[in-house]
Amino acid sequence: MTKKTTIYDIARKLDITAATVSRALNNNPKISDATRELVIQTAKAMNYEQNKVAKALKSGKSYNVGVIVPRIDSNFFASVITGIEEELYPNGYHVIICQTHDQENLEIRNINSLLNAQVDGILMSISNAKLEQNESFKSLLRKRVPLIFFDRQKDIPGVSSVTIDDFKGAYAATKHLIDQGCKRIAHLSNDRLLEIFKNRYLGYKQAIIDSGLEFDENLVIEISSRVAEGRKATKTLLEMGNRPDAIFSTSDFTALGAIQEIKEHGLKIPDDICVAGFANEPFTKFMELSITTVDQSPIEMGRLTAKVFLEEVSNPSRIMSQKKVILSPELLIRKSSLKHSS
Amino acid sequence: MTKKTTIYDIARKLDITAATVSRALNNNPKISDATRELVIQTAKAMNYEQNKVAKALKSGKSYNVGVIVPRIDSNFFASVITGIEEELYPNGYHVIICQTHDQENLEIRNINSLLNAQVDGILMSISNAKLEQNESFKSLLRKRVPLIFFDRQKDIPGVSSVTIDDFKGAYAATKHLIDQGCKRIAHLSNDRLLEIFKNRYLGYKQAIIDSGLEFDENLVIEISSRVAEGRKATKTLLEMGNRPDAIFSTSDFTALGAIQEIKEHGLKIPDDICVAGFANEPFTKFMELSITTVDQSPIEMGRLTAKVFLEEVSNPSRIMSQKKVILSPELLIRKSSLKHSS
DNA sequence: TAGATTTGTGTAATCGATTGCACTTTTGTG
DNA sequence: CACAAAAGTGCAATCGATTACACAAATCTA
């Protein structure tokens, strides 16, 4: 790498001080127009680029923001990240993405690693419900580094969050299944210590109760968001004496697993069993048997998360203000749950 | 954020110099064991954490590496990134990911932005064939910032790359289609100014020629890697007087589009038309009609790319050494091309 | 025109960690 | 015991940019 020009190089060439150069480049009003113009011209001519690291040291800000997600290989998280970037880039921030692959230890390691890199804030979709008790996490809170949850959150004092109304989304999906004539609706859930899954579960449950159907706790299975897990759980459900006639899943991936398993068992979708997922992953639309799902407007979610972060850093008082932004979900009805008769 | 402890705080407490503290923490052999032990203990007690920004300024290294990809929302790129991280994290590097969304201007902006953030290197999958002529890109080369291409590359002197043998992969896929009895094989290509697509095209062409079939340039269509584009191109192909009996696509996404369009036209896959894609995206396996594709071992590709980078930065001579790592692809034959009869 | 303002720059400290050089103790050698 | 070599620390500069404070020159006021 060739050496970069610094403000000292410019100062030397113009026979002025680095301080003056710095001020000129920062549009400090105390600098005369003539000098400012001269400095700017020279800087351009010399290919000057501000050294962000030096600025970071002086200002105590790195202009890097950490984003922690379970994985980037899902349209949902990828889109949230896109939204975050759209909002943060124009403000001079860079985004460092970390994946937890749903592993606790990786989540901790990523937090430490980001703090170590002096990030100005951390935006995360939490994957470990017990994170709260972890020492590294506690120290993160103590340091008052801006922390914002999106999608998967835990209710922690002083930590803002951006989510969708999971209860509403789940309620709408379940209601739709009921409207299709389904009576025994199973639910593929996930760790309900996390608000997101708890609320989806509650929305599902409420819709059943409101419709006067019997609520059966045995039809709720807690698994992680992977196709194979969806298959396994569905196998269990199908082998029950009184098998369900619909499956509402917290994840499109597990819904896909469910569909595969149901077909394997020789059952028809949606005639024998209706299926609905959550997240509107692109494949749900592409499948020959398109999958009913709930859209979470991920790009919007990302933008809003970034906005909340920007507010927090620019707020010098840093008062414990916990902001909760809640987006509205949209039910997308597709073939996997739309009976021909109706 | 609470103030962090620095080596000066430790020095003050122990009534020694910051220099000594620094040396003790860095295992400098000139420090006595007693002092070293004392410093380390005190540092731990005071929750000391090295300020990476200060170190970055002093050393001229940011320990940040930029990764530029068309999009992270594809299993292939997400996996490559995972591989890169696996290799880089243990070496103290952080990864800043940028998406180009296949837009030229974004690619340029990302490069500038990464350089501005003082990254120690850039690993990229190029999406714009004309990038070479761009001023920002030229300046990147001039600065001798380590640059490594993966997957989508251009042959530029001094720039190493990690790719798969695209020719071989395309040859194998095409050969397989021919073995299935297909005679008129269309090819959904992409910008052939990029090596990757050029080589896939050449592999496809060679397989046809080697088999004694007629090669028809009209069956080759250049599009970008999106489902909708695949549909559109396939529509054109199907409306030809002498329609193809197979489609080999450089992308799983366009292959998916092709499949959708073919079905819409009431044709059967694989009986009427065989389809094969490229990249082994997970959905190719999940579809009811699983898609034949070519695996590119993305994680391995990521790891190797990172390794080449690590070699380049650790090589102080920085001699123009252009390394070309080429991985072997694997053809995965699935339902979309496997005729029942065979 | 003397004195008060305003304007424009320079001086030097600062952010936190690293490191060549100098200097003081120890320890070793003959 | 004298002198050389080794060991252990401190001093101070450095990385590049920012900024409070000082100060000189230019402009204004009465």
Side-chain angles (χ1 to χ4, degrees):
Chain A
M1 305 205 214
T2 52
K3 212 135 34 350
K4 301 198 184 73
T5 49
T6 71
I7 52 173
Y8 294 94
D9 299 327
I10 299 176
R12 209 172 304 123
K13 169 159 265 176
L14 296 179
D15 203 24
I16 53 179
T17 329
T20 306
V21 175
S22 172
R23 286 192 269 252
L25 293 173
N26 286 297
N27 272 317
N28 185 312
K30 306 208 113 188
I31 295 295
S32 69
D33 290 347
T35 312
R36 187 197 328 284
E37 208 43 49
L38 187 61
V39 168
I40 291 177
Q41 292 304 327
T42 316
K44 192 170 291 176
M46 296 176 78
N47 283 314
Y48 169 75
E49 283 171 25
Q50 188 191 48
N51 183 323
K52 293 277 171 138
V53 173
K55 178 165 182 181
L57 177 59
K58 187 72 176 86
S59 67
K61 297 187 55 172
S62 68
Y63 280 95
N64 277 149
V65 176
V67 175
I68 302 179
V69 291
R71 68 189 64 80
I72 56 178
D73 166 27
S74 98
N75 185 269
F76 175 71
F77 288 118
S79 300
V80 174
I81 289 171
T82 299
I84 290 174
E85 287 177 341
E86 281 176 9
E87 202 66 36
L88 252 33
Y89 266 65
N91 284 283
Y93 285 92
H94 276 273
V95 172
I96 296 178
I97 299 167
C98 297
Q99 305 180 64
T100 67
H101 296 289
D102 273 322
Q103 287 165 37
E104 285 189 34
N105 57 336
L106 269 179
E107 192 156 39
I108 301 301
R109 207 194 303 166
N110 282 331
I111 290 178
N112 286 327
S113 162
L114 286 174
L115 287 178
N116 211 250
Q118 321 281 131
V119 293
D120 293 343
I122 294 183
L123 317 183
M124 76 183 290
S125 201
I126 196 172
S127 52
N128 162 22
K130 285 165 290 177
L131 186 62
E132 216 175 340
Q133 285 126 48
N134 182 276
E135 265 316 312
S136 293
F137 185 73
K138 284 184 188 162
S139 110
L140 167 64
L141 291 179
R142 248 182 279 115
K143 283 180 188 151
R144 313 283 248 98
V145 176
L147 171 69
I148 295 138
F149 290 140
F150 60 87
D151 193 48
R152 304 194 186 180
Q153 54 131 185
K154 277 284 290 185
D155 202 347
I156 294 176
V159 182
S160 296
S161 65
V162 178
T163 54
I164 61 152
D165 190 334
D166 290 289
F167 181 94
K168 192 170 153 193
Y171 190 99
T174 310
K175 184 70 170 45
H176 158 69
L177 293 172
I178 295 170
D179 289 346
Q180 292 294 304
C182 302
K183 306 272 184 231
R184 276 180 66 72
I185 304 172
H187 179 43
L188 299 187
S189 186
N190 198 330
D191 188 348
R192 273 172 282 168
L193 290 176
L194 294 175
E195 304 287 327
I196 178 178
F197 300 120
K198 186 176 82 185
N199 291 333
R200 288 181 194 173
Y201 163 75
L202 291 174
Y204 150 80
K205 186 172 177 177
Q206 194 62 48
I208 291 179
I209 292 172
D210 286 357
S211 306
L213 291 176
E214 182 204 354
F215 173 72
D216 184 354
E217 191 73 51
N218 293 317
L219 293 179
V220 177
I221 303 184
E222 221 170 80
I223 54 177
S224 74
S225 174
R226 267 182 254 115
V227 178
E229 296 259 330
R231 283 195 82 134
K232 219 174 72 185
T234 304
K235 190 162 188 289
T236 310
L237 288 170
L238 296 181
E239 285 167 355
M240 283 173 61
N242 190 2
R243 70 158 174 76
D245 55 8
I247 294 181
F248 165 54
S249 174
T250 49
S251 145
D252 284 334
F253 293 99
T254 48
L256 176 59
I259 289 176
Q260 293 178 346
E261 191 66 24
I262 292 169
K263 286 190 175 173
E264 194 114 319
H265 278 245
L267 295 167
K268 287 244 160 65
I269 301 172
D271 307 85
D272 298 324
I273 302 189
C274 288
V275 177
F278 214 107
N280 193 18
E281 287 289 326
F283 71 79
T284 58
K285 189 175 168 193
F286 292 146
M287 308 284 294
E288 292 92 326
L289 177 76
S290 57
I291 306 177
T292 292
T293 189
V294 178
D295 186 72
Q296 306 173 274
S297 46
I299 295 198
E300 185 66 11
M301 186 181 283
R303 301 192 78 121
L304 286 171
T305 307
K307 273 186 185 158
V308 172
F309 161 75
L310 289 173
E311 278 171 28
E312 291 208 3
V313 280
S314 67
N315 177 353
S317 64
R318 306 283 299 107
I319 297 167
M320 272 278 190
S321 74
Q322 190 176 359
K323 185 169 284 186
K324 294 212 160 273
V325 180
I326 300 176
L327 296 167
S328 216
E330 186 190 359
L331 177 65
L332 303 173
I333 299 173
R334 303 216 182 95
K335 292 185 191 167
S336 71
S337 72
L338 199 58
K339 296 204 176 173
H340 313 302
S341 50
S342 52
Chain B
M1 306 204 214
T2 52
K3 211 136 32 354
K4 301 199 186 69
T5 49
T6 72
I7 53 173
Y8 293 93
D9 299 326
I10 299 175
R12 210 171 303 123
K13 170 158 266 177
L14 296 179
D15 203 24
I16 54 178
T17 327
T20 305
V21 175
S22 172
R23 291 190 182 102
L25 294 173
N26 286 296
N27 273 317
N28 185 312
K30 305 207 114 189
I31 295 296
S32 69
D33 292 346
T35 313
R36 187 199 326 285
E37 206 44 46
L38 186 62
V39 169
I40 291 177
Q41 292 304 327
T42 317
K44 192 170 292 175
M46 297 176 76
N47 284 315
Y48 169 75
E49 282 171 25
Q50 188 192 47
N51 184 323
K52 295 276 172 137
V53 173
K55 180 168 181 179
L57 176 58
K58 186 69 174 99
S59 68
K61 296 188 56 172
S62 68
Y63 280 96
N64 276 150
V65 175
V67 175
I68 302 178
V69 291
R71 69 189 64 84
I72 56 177
D73 168 26
S74 98
N75 184 269
F76 175 70
F77 288 118
S79 300
V80 174
I81 289 170
T82 299
I84 290 174
E85 287 179 341
E86 281 176 8
E87 202 68 35
L88 252 32
Y89 266 66
N91 284 284
Y93 285 92
H94 277 273
V95 171
I96 296 178
I97 299 166
C98 297
Q99 306 181 63
T100 67
H101 298 287
D102 274 320
Q103 288 166 35
E104 284 189 36
N105 56 337
L106 270 179
E107 191 155 39
I108 301 300
R109 207 194 301 165
N110 282 331
I111 289 177
N112 286 328
S113 162
L114 287 174
L115 287 177
N116 211 249
Q118 320 280 132
V119 293
D120 294 343
I122 293 182
L123 317 183
M124 77 182 288
S125 200
I126 197 172
S127 52
N128 162 21
K130 286 164 289 177
L131 185 62
E132 217 174 341
Q133 284 126 48
N134 180 277
E135 265 316 313
S136 293
F137 185 73
K138 283 185 189 162
S139 109
L140 167 64
L141 291 180
R142 246 182 281 113
K143 283 180 187 150
R144 312 285 247 98
V145 177
L147 170 69
I148 295 139
F149 290 140
F150 61 86
D151 193 47
R152 302 193 187 179
Q153 55 130 183
K154 277 285 289 186
D155 203 346
I156 294 176
V159 181
S160 296
S161 65
V162 178
T163 54
I164 61 153
D165 189 334
D166 290 291
F167 181 94
K168 193 170 153 192
Y171 190 99
T174 310
K175 183 70 169 45
H176 157 69
L177 294 171
I178 295 170
D179 290 345
Q180 293 293 305
C182 302
K183 308 270 184 232
R184 276 181 66 73
I185 303 173
H187 179 43
L188 300 185
S189 186
N190 198 330
D191 189 347
R192 271 171 285 167
L193 290 176
L194 294 175
E195 304 287 328
I196 179 177
F197 301 120
K198 185 177 81 185
N199 290 333
R200 289 181 194 174
Y201 163 75
L202 291 175
Y204 150 80
K205 185 172 179 179
Q206 195 61 49
I208 290 178
I209 293 173
D210 286 357
S211 305
L213 292 175
E214 182 203 354
F215 174 73
D216 184 353
E217 193 72 51
N218 294 319
L219 293 179
V220 177
I221 303 185
E222 221 170 82
I223 55 177
S224 74
S225 174
R226 269 183 252 117
V227 179
E229 296 259 329
R231 283 196 82 133
K232 217 175 72 187
T234 304
K235 189 160 188 290
T236 311
L237 287 171
L238 295 181
E239 286 166 355
M240 283 174 61
N242 190 4
R243 70 156 174 78
D245 55 7
I247 295 181
F248 164 56
S249 175
T250 48
S251 144
D252 283 335
F253 293 99
T254 46
L256 176 60
I259 289 176
Q260 293 177 346
E261 192 65 25
I262 291 169
K263 286 190 175 174
E264 195 115 318
H265 277 246
L267 294 169
K268 287 243 160 67
I269 301 172
D271 308 84
D272 298 324
I273 302 188
C274 288
V275 177
F278 214 107
N280 194 19
E281 287 290 326
F283 71 79
T284 58
K285 189 176 168 190
F286 292 145
M287 308 284 293
E288 292 92 327
L289 178 75
S290 57
I291 306 176
T292 293
T293 188
V294 178
D295 186 74
Q296 305 174 274
S297 46
I299 295 200
E300 185 65 11
M301 187 181 284
R303 300 193 78 121
L304 287 171
T305 307
K307 272 185 186 160
V308 172
F309 161 74
L310 290 173
E311 277 170 30
E312 291 208 5
V313 279
S314 67
N315 178 353
S317 64
R318 307 279 303 105
I319 298 165
M320 273 278 190
S321 74
Q322 190 177 1
K323 185 169 284 186
K324 295 213 160 275
V325 180
I326 300 175
L327 295 167
S328 214
E330 185 190 0
L331 176 65
L332 302 174
I333 300 173
R334 303 216 181 95
K335 292 185 190 167
S336 70
S337 71
L338 199 58
K339 296 206 177 171
H340 312 303
S341 50
S342 52

